[in-house]
Amino acid sequence: HAIWYAQNDVPLMEENFTKALEIAEHIDDRSAQLQSLWGVWAVHRSRGEYRKALALAKRYEAVANAFGDPKSKSLANRILSVNQHYLGDQEEARRLVKMVQAQLTPSVRSVNNDFQLDAHVATTALLSRIDWLQGFPDQAKARARQSVEAALKTSHVLSLGYAICMAGCPVALWTGDIAEAECNLRLLNKYVASNRLYSTWGRAFEITMRLRERTDTDSLIAQYIEARLDVCSLSVLADLNIDDLNPSELPEPIAEELWNYPELLRIKAEFVLCKGSSVAAQKEAEELLLKSLDRSKSQRLPSFELRTAVSLARLWGCTARVAEARSMLETSYGKFTEGFATTDLINADRLIAELG
């Protein structure tokens, strides 16, 4: 635990947690098994190895159920929900989060839970991300604020860093609320800057906000970074030299199965169109966008679907397919019942009018 929170040395952490797990299993110490399993799970999660992490989360769940400790069972559901979120199953992630929240009461809330985060803060942060992906931008913003405010009340640095980096900054950027993102970044720098992991997150968010203020290509790079921000890619993205950056230098997506894949396909298509407007480029971009649209629909991610629909409608509008573009975009836009003052919906509404 000390290595994880103080040094963030993943290989060394894996070595020690693995040894601890072997000893705990040998002497049948279930409490130590749970803490060690959490550590090995965190190793794979930090590497973006979510299938391996899921198997460990299920091992944790099995031990927790056998152990019978309610807090351990709750933590099992929470780490499973994180896994399902990153693997793209937002419905299952939401179900698990709701189970955890149903078990929480103010009287038993504590940050001193085997070095874990405040559960209310963590679940609210995760739920805000799921809300945005599933097409509820206003609810996502409200929950992100709730998570940060709850973390501030705990005076727990790790919980505050988690709330800001998992929800406060990302949701503000996804909804186009730059003022809110800057406010969260100031909180991060004020209270959590001494933590090595969260200070790296802070650098990455600063890069995205600077890129957003520059060229259209830079704005696309910012969107790519926002979709790729995770512990496994954080150090690379936080150390990018944005004054001499080529889109081809950005790290490739890790796996098609992850939550962000539809958005990465869309951005890749936009990069293709930035290079040129030849028939071949348009065809390549269209194939990427259609794949992104299909994946967004199959995973039930209206927010990614709308972004892709806007990109595809612009492309079709340039190739004399205006009526088809408008119809497709109206269908995606019509799935929303809130968030009409957020950037994506404003852009979509404006483009529908232009295609009129």
Side-chain angles (χ1 to χ4, degrees), residues 335-350:
K335 294 180 179 181
F336 287 81
T337 57
E338 61 171 68
F340 298 105
T342 58
T343 299
D344 288 340
L345 276 88
I346 291 171
N347 289 340
D349 185 50
R350 184 179 296 127

Side-chain angles (χ1 to χ4, degrees), residues 194-242:
S194 61
N195 181 278
R196 179 179 172 184
L197 175 61
Y198 290 134
S199 65
T200 306
W201 278 95
R203 291 203 311 274
F205 287 126
E206 286 174 357
I207 285 174
T208 62
M209 283 185 267
R210 285 173 60 193
L211 285 167
R212 277 172 165 262
E213 297 172 349
R214 304 196 331 184
T215 67
D216 289 343
T217 300
D218 286 338
S219 180
L220 274 176
I221 293 172
Q223 292 172 50
Y224 181 91
I225 293 173
E226 289 163 20
R228 281 298 313 278
L229 275 179
D230 191 15
V231 179
C232 60
S233 55
L234 186 60
S235 59
V236 175
L237 297 172
D239 292 335
L240 289 173
N241 179 7
I242 64 173

Side-chain angles (χ1 to χ4, degrees), residues 249-291:
E249 298 172 359
L250 295 169
E252 284 292 315
I254 295 174
E256 294 187 8
E257 63 187 356
L258 298 185
W259 70 282
N260 54 11
Y261 192 63
E263 176 71 344
L264 297 178
L265 287 171
R266 180 191 72 84
I267 296 169
K268 186 174 182 179
E270 292 285 8
F271 281 140
V272 169
L273 293 173
C274 283
K275 294 178 183 177
S277 56
S278 66
V279 173
Q282 290 179 346
K283 182 174 177 12
E284 181 184 356
E286 183 183 33
E287 289 175 353
L288 289 166
L289 291 170
L290 287 171
K291 186 175 181 180

Side-chain angles (χ1 to χ4, degrees), residues 3 148 242:
I3 292 166
V148 173
I242 64 173

